[in-house]
Amino acid sequence: MLPVLLIAVDNTVLSFAVPSISESLRPGGTELLWIVDAYPLVLAGLLVPMGSLGDRVGRRRLLLIGATGFAVVSAVAAFVPSAPLLIAARAALGFFGAMLMPATLSLIRNIFTDPVQRRTAIAIWAAGFSGGAALGPIVGGFLLEHYWWGSVFLLAVPVLVPLLALGPVLVPESRDPEPGPVDPVSIALSLGAMVPLVYGIKRIAEEGPTATAVLAIALALALGYGFVRRQLRRPVPLLDVRLFANPVFSGSVAANLLSVFSMVGFLFFVSQHLQLVSGRTPVEAGLVLVPGLVVTVIAGLAVVRIVRHVRPARVVAGGLLLNAVGYGLVLASGSAGSDGGLLVAFVVLGAGVGAAETISNDLILSSVPAAKAGAASAVSETAYELGAVLGTAVLGSILTAVYRTNVVVPGAVVGDDARAAGETLGGATEVASGLPDPVAQALLESARHAFDSGVVITSAIGVVLMVVAALIALRALRSAE
């Protein structure tokens, strides 16, 4: 659970450090973009190869190698003197991080052979993610308030040292007894497909469908097609893509992706509303979200008992419908949604995500042989990463488009300030801080109304997507026990 908690905290804490990094290292716009993106791009590209490698060389061995590398690079990253070196450190963290997550889930699959124990362990594993997501804003805010930006990287060292000390004693080794040969071409194709795919989606979310983004996605699809063809031809593939012919496996992967999609998309606009509309600090905004994340943990643990009496398909579909209800509460509140209403909506959504994530991850692992757990875990992790990227990209792009259409920038605001205010609520808030009061108030009122209009439309789309996802889960998972 230690690396799970760390990775979850690391996913959310860096965004809070970006302003401090900008002031200290003075990166250019492109450099700042790569400081943020280098980690998830490398991570997404290497999850499948690292999961397969863990099956071959030993999951515990890969976990300890990844933990050692992650701790060392984190310590180095805290003290780098320039933006290019920080980009390199973030990429290295993605490399070692890709070793951690598939290894943790595949070890659980091999340690716990009893279905009830396995589901409980996976629920606790998922709780580590939710707990880390809750701690990220709070811990990050505290560290940045009292120390320098590098302290958010040093956080990895005290978390991973106990793992390195106790892991060889407490964690049993496991591996595929009949591993295939390492296939460098498949690894290159996997990396070549995932990196431009994630990059293209992230660019569309931030800049719209530019030629670069479209070309990146086209390249990803072409290399992905080559990857699938190669796996089908090899006697021992890097990833057995025939697993996706199993409706329980493919349906569970889809449910996993869409659950994360719903949570990340929701957090995208809620975190902005709490800070830019309600005027809360990052730590205060994080505390408002804690009840929903706690309910995510509780729901994940409770569903282990529920699934003994209710078929998994209905549990997963029920979780996805709760996600729809969460979005529906935001939709019903309209543009005058209160912080309390958002808290309740996130609690409902958290319950749905906790239920759907726990059972879908369990079905992914239980639908494949234990020897192939690393590869299956990597698919689950890849779905998680893609869900997170798509949640921001799809719902974030729609929200931004509605904002741009509806915001009215006062005539007194011109040039770069007008462009910034017309792009995002954050830009409008920053520009307003330097304007005379009457103009600032007019801009902020228009920007907040435009943002909340976008939230309403985004929530309506979220409701429809989650209802469709629930219907797909009912059909695809109906044979699951």
Side-chain angles (χ1 to χ4, degrees):
M1 291 305 101
L2 289 171
V4 172
L5 188 68
L6 174 67
I7 293 292
V9 169
D10 202 63
N11 282 342
T12 55
V13 76
L14 183 76
S15 59
F16 290 90
V18 165
S20 299
I21 291 171
S22 298
E23 291 177 12
S24 179
L25 301 183
R26 298 195 177 278
T30 302
E31 288 179 324
L32 187 61
L33 191 67
W34 280 107
I35 288 172
V36 175
D37 287 351
Y39 175 82
L41 289 177
V42 175
L43 182 76
L46 288 176
L47 280 170
V48 169
M50 290 301 185
S52 181
L53 182 63
D55 287 339
R56 288 167 167 79
V57 305
R59 289 125 189 172
R60 184 184 68 182
R61 177 182 295 177
L62 198 68
L63 179 68
L64 295 176
I65 292 171
T68 302
F70 202 96
V72 171
V73 175
S74 294
V76 172
F79 299 99
V80 294
S82 67
L85 288 175
L86 184 56
I87 293 169
R90 289 278 293 164
L93 287 174
F95 176 82
F96 290 111
M99 297 181 186
L100 297 176
M101 298 317 300
T104 58
L105 201 52
S106 56
L107 280 166
I108 286 174
R109 170 68 173 91
N110 283 271
I111 291 170
F112 299 101
T113 55
D114 177 76
V116 175
Q117 288 187 345
R118 186 182 64 243
R119 283 174 180 153
T120 304
I122 291 173
I124 296 169
W125 180 89
F129 262 126
S130 300
L135 285 172
I138 298 167
V139 173
F142 175 82
L143 290 174
L144 293 167
E145 190 174 324
H146 293 87
Y147 305 102
W148 88 115
W149 62 265
S151 60
V152 301
F153 290 102
L154 286 181
L155 186 65
V157 178
V159 175
L160 291 177
V161 166
L163 170 68
L164 294 171
L166 300 175
V169 179
L170 299 178
V171 180
E173 182 61 284
S174 67
R175 59 170 57 87
D176 186 344
E178 297 179 358
V182 175
D183 181 10
V185 175
S186 291
I187 292 173
L189 286 170
S190 171
L191 191 64
M194 289 303 303
V195 170
L197 176 64
V198 174
Y199 177 81
I201 293 171
K202 287 173 77 71
R203 293 287 69 74
I204 288 174
E206 295 176 11
E207 303 166 4
T210 62
T212 302
V214 172
L215 284 173
I217 292 176
L219 174 62
L221 294 175
L223 292 173
Y225 175 75
F227 176 81
V228 171
R229 282 182 61 89
R230 183 172 179 82
Q231 304 318 296
L232 290 171
R233 291 174 177 174
R234 289 185 63 81
V236 185
L238 178 72
L239 173 66
D240 187 359
V241 295
R242 294 178 182 85
L243 290 172
F244 288 95
N246 179 346
V248 173
F249 182 84
S250 55
S252 298
V253 170
N256 194 337
L257 186 152
L258 290 167
S259 293
V260 176
F261 175 98
S262 67
M263 175 169 272
V264 171
F266 193 94
L267 287 172
F268 178 80
F269 63 74
V270 167
S271 59
Q272 291 187 71
H273 179 97
L274 292 173
Q275 294 179 66
L276 301 176
V277 177
S278 300
R280 295 180 181 275
T281 66
V283 176
E284 290 171 343
L287 289 172
V288 171
L289 297 175
V290 166
L293 293 163
V294 170
V295 168
T296 305
V297 174
I298 294 171
L301 294 170
V303 82
V304 176
R305 289 182 177 272
I306 293 172
V307 82
R308 298 179 193 176
H309 310 288
V310 182
R311 294 186 68 84
R314 294 181 180 178
V315 173
V316 174
L320 293 168
L321 286 176
L322 281 176
N323 295 350
V325 172
Y327 276 107
L329 290 172
V330 177
L331 179 62
S333 68
S335 59
S338 66
D339 289 1
L342 291 174
L343 187 153
V344 171
F346 189 52
V347 164
V348 174
L349 184 134
V353 170
E357 275 283 285
T358 297
I359 301 305
S360 63
N361 272 310
D362 177 64
L363 292 175
I364 288 170
L365 291 181
S366 61
S367 62
V368 303
K372 304 297 181 185
S377 302
V379 171
S380 173
E381 290 300 316
T382 303
Y384 185 97
E385 288 295 321
L386 281 178
V389 172
L390 287 169
T392 302
V394 175
L395 298 183
S397 295
I398 294 168
L399 176 56
T400 301
V402 175
Y403 173 87
R404 290 171 179 167
T405 302
N406 289 291
V407 68
V408 177
V409 180
V413 182
V414 296
D416 290 340
D417 284 350
R419 280 190 291 275
E423 288 288 323
T424 64
L425 176 59
T429 303
E430 186 176 345
V431 169
S433 65
L435 296 174
D437 280 349
V439 180
Q441 287 301 318
L443 174 59
L444 286 175
E445 184 176 344
S446 174
R448 288 168 178 170
H449 177 74
F451 179 81
D452 284 340
S453 298
V455 168
V456 169
I457 292 174
T458 302
S459 298
I461 293 169
V463 170
V464 173
L465 281 175
M466 290 303 107
V467 170
V468 172
L471 294 173
I472 292 171
L474 274 176
R475 182 174 179 81
L477 306 179
R478 64 182 184 274
S479 64
E481 296 294 338

